[in-house]
Amino acid sequence: MAKMIHSMIRVLDEARSLAFYDTAFGLKVADRLDFDAFTLIYLSNPETGFELELTVNKDRTEPYDLGDGYGHLAVSVDDVTAEHARFEAEGLSPRKLVDFAPGGEVIARFFFVADPDGYQIEVLQRGGRYL
């Protein structure tokens, strides 16, 4: 069976992205590979072995076009209400909390937040039906 180990996104401003992911999710630099044209930065935290790889293309000056295909990363937290309040206090501009109840029963509670490059991140209550 395959084990997911990382996902890569391209970011424009390394410092801004590192600050966001540290503040929002406690992700710290686990490894950094610097090349002439680009840098790869692997972020992780003690909660999981999964890493987020940030690719910084050194000659890039314009924001990336994320396209119109909807995609997102997802993280789970112990208390999504408290995390939503913390994100607001940190100025991270989370979207509203959602109780997802397609059949009348709440099966997930979550909110979304965008990183500095516009990537969407879903923050889900841990222990829900799908976590």
Side-chain angles (χ1 to χ4, degrees), residues 64-82:
Y64 288 95
D65 178 2
L66 302 184
D68 61 0
Y70 182 76
H72 68 273
L73 297 171
V75 300
S76 66
V77 297
D78 287 327
D79 186 340
V80 74
T81 303

Side-chain angles (χ1 to χ4, degrees), residues 2-127:
K3 177 181 176 183
M4 304 236 349
I5 58 170
H6 77 256
S7 183
M8 184 280 287
I9 60 175
R10 296 183 188 281
V11 300
L12 187 61
D13 184 322
E14 176 182 338
R16 186 176 67 166
S17 292
L18 290 176
F20 172 83
Y21 283 101
D22 184 22
T23 300
F25 305 111
L27 294 175
K28 308 285 187 199
V29 176
D31 201 3
R32 178 187 183 88
L33 303 172
D34 196 32
F35 301 95
D36 290 339
F38 61 94
T39 300
L40 304 178
I41 305 160
Y42 295 89
L43 305 178
S44 66
N45 70 25
E47 291 272 335
T48 180
F50 188 82
E51 294 179 322
L52 180 61
E53 175 187 341
L54 305 181
T55 296
V56 181
N57 291 308
K58 294 179 180 179
D59 63 350
R60 185 74 181 204
T61 59
E62 296 296 319
Y64 288 95
D65 178 2
L66 302 184
D68 61 0
Y70 182 76
H72 68 273
L73 297 171
V75 300
S76 66
V77 297
D78 287 327
D79 186 340
V80 74
T81 303
E83 283 300 283
H84 190 269
R86 185 180 71 79
F87 275 50
E88 285 182 328
E90 292 284 356
L92 299 176
S93 303
R95 297 201 326 242
K96 68 177 183 157
L97 274 168
V98 174
D99 287 325
F100 186 61
E105 172 192 353
V106 175
I107 61 171
R109 190 151 203 253
F110 62 87
F111 66 89
F112 277 85
V113 65
D115 84 351
D117 291 278
Y119 294 103
Q120 298 297 313
I121 302 151
E122 183 179 19
V123 181
L124 290 137
Q125 176 68 46
R126 191 170 292 147

